[in-house]
Amino acid sequence: MSFTVIIPARLASTRLPNKPLALIDGIPMIVRVAQQAAKSAASRVIVACDDPTVQKACEEHGIEAQLTSKDCACGTDRLSEVVNKLNLDENEIIVNVQGDEPLIPVDIINLVAEILKKDSGLAMGTAAIRIRDAEEFFNPNVVKVELNKRNEALIFSRAPIPWNRDLFAKSKESIPEDLGLRHVGIYSYRASFLKQYPHLSKSPLETFESLEQLRALWHGYKIGVEIFNREIPPGVDTFEDLERVRLYFGKK
């Protein structure tokens, strides 16, 4: 299976300044992410960055990097710019790996690419894991997803979905087993969809929920979802996260 990984990287970060260049055991985090992605079945790994210092850091470690506009509103816009810039084949499968996940499992990268390989009717693929407890289910920072019988996304929401009317009328301390699905923020796309993405208008739901994948559903594109059966290490959002990952690589 041939696919391309593109890793969007924005230098500015409110919680962790210059995050892509933060050193993890002597190597910039963005390079660590690219090295992890290269362990997948991808035929090509590209960093899509908005600053020449990030591009230089990647190239010094043998990582391909493309400079993109600082005006990209989101990671998908950055991917779209690279796909158009390189004029990638319409049928090429692109996997978006976040630039702050140096511990991302290789299996999940291959999994979301395989979704599009198996079904030509899908524009996007993504993953989900089972929600473990009520606290997670009711947390608005945890994005939930509901599927149809073909494992296609019906809706993504920060709200607790699906709402079990009778059970929650009695108690909100527990959730039924195998009910809720937590969305995992990794995506695969067809290059043809990414070329169209900048021309798609925002949807009201996307604005309300602050979830860009709702734009695709709003415009009628199908998103396939696979359930990943292992825990996924969290990404690096804060200095404490960075220290935890540094400790992991130091022990490794």
Side-chain angles (χ1 to χ4, degrees):
M1 173 179 61
S2 175
F3 63 91
T4 296
V5 167
I6 302 182
I7 306 167
R10 187 170 63 91
L11 188 61
S13 174
T14 53
R15 284 186 286 184
L16 190 60
N18 298 329
K19 184 161 65 170
L21 299 177
L23 294 180
I24 299 175
D25 203 21
I27 294 178
M29 178 162 58
I30 190 63
V31 174
R32 289 288 188 190
V33 176
Q35 290 173 338
Q36 183 72 356
K39 297 175 185 177
S40 72
S43 57
R44 189 177 185 182
V45 175
I46 305 168
V47 170
C49 55
D50 68 345
D51 194 280
T53 58
V54 177
Q55 184 182 37
K56 181 181 178 182
C58 290
E59 291 174 347
E60 285 176 348
H61 289 85
I63 304 297
E64 181 181 358
Q66 294 288 333
L67 200 59
T68 60
S69 169
K70 291 183 181 291
D71 297 328
C72 291
C74 61
T76 310
D77 285 335
R78 212 169 294 286
L79 265 67
S80 176
E81 187 173 328
V82 170
V83 166
N84 281 294
K85 184 178 180 180
L86 299 179
N87 195 27
L88 297 182
D89 185 271
E90 300 277 310
N91 295 315
E92 180 73 9
I93 294 173
I94 310 296
V95 175
N96 178 352
V97 172
Q98 299 299 318
D100 58 5
E101 296 198 29
L103 300 179
I104 187 170
V106 171
D107 292 353
I108 202 169
I109 299 174
N110 294 331
L111 179 74
V112 295
E114 184 69 24
I115 292 172
L116 297 191
K117 183 183 178 184
K118 292 189 298 186
D119 189 340
S120 61
L122 299 172
M124 293 174 58
T126 191
I129 57 176
R130 295 288 179 190
I131 289 179
R132 297 165 295 184
D133 53 44
E135 182 180 357
E136 189 177 24
F137 186 66
F138 289 103
N139 185 347
N141 294 317
V142 173
V143 177
K144 275 69 71 173
V145 59
E146 269 301 298
L147 313 181
N148 65 17
K149 66 179 182 180
R150 296 182 297 276
N151 276 10
E152 297 167 356
L154 287 169
I155 190 66
F156 296 86
S157 181
R158 297 182 184 278
I161 56 171
W163 186 263
N164 190 310
R165 186 192 65 176
D166 296 335
L167 178 68
F168 293 147
K170 299 174 183 176
S171 171
K172 296 185 178 68
E173 298 301 316
S174 62
I175 59 173
E177 186 177 356
D178 293 338
L179 174 63
L181 287 174
R182 175 178 188 153
H183 178 231
V184 179
I186 182 171
Y187 299 97
S188 55
Y189 311 85
R190 297 196 190 281
S192 56
F193 171 78
L194 283 172
K195 290 178 180 180
Q196 292 296 318
Y197 183 81
H199 308 294
L200 300 177
S201 59
K202 280 191 174 184
S203 74
L205 282 177
E206 175 188 1
T207 303
F208 294 155
E209 295 262 14
S210 192
L211 296 174
E212 64 182 87
Q213 65 269 36
L214 290 171
R215 188 183 311 183
L217 293 182
W218 177 263
H219 286 277
Y221 290 95
K222 294 180 179 180
I223 304 176
V225 183
E226 287 285 348
I227 298 173
F228 193 64
N229 293 315
R230 289 195 290 115
E231 283 300 310
I232 300 169
V236 177
D237 288 323
T238 65
F239 182 75
E240 290 73 23
D241 295 335
L242 179 61
E243 287 296 283
R244 171 182 48 77
V245 173
R246 281 172 169 168
L247 182 63
Y248 171 85
F249 275 92
K251 289 180 178 178
K252 187 178 179 183

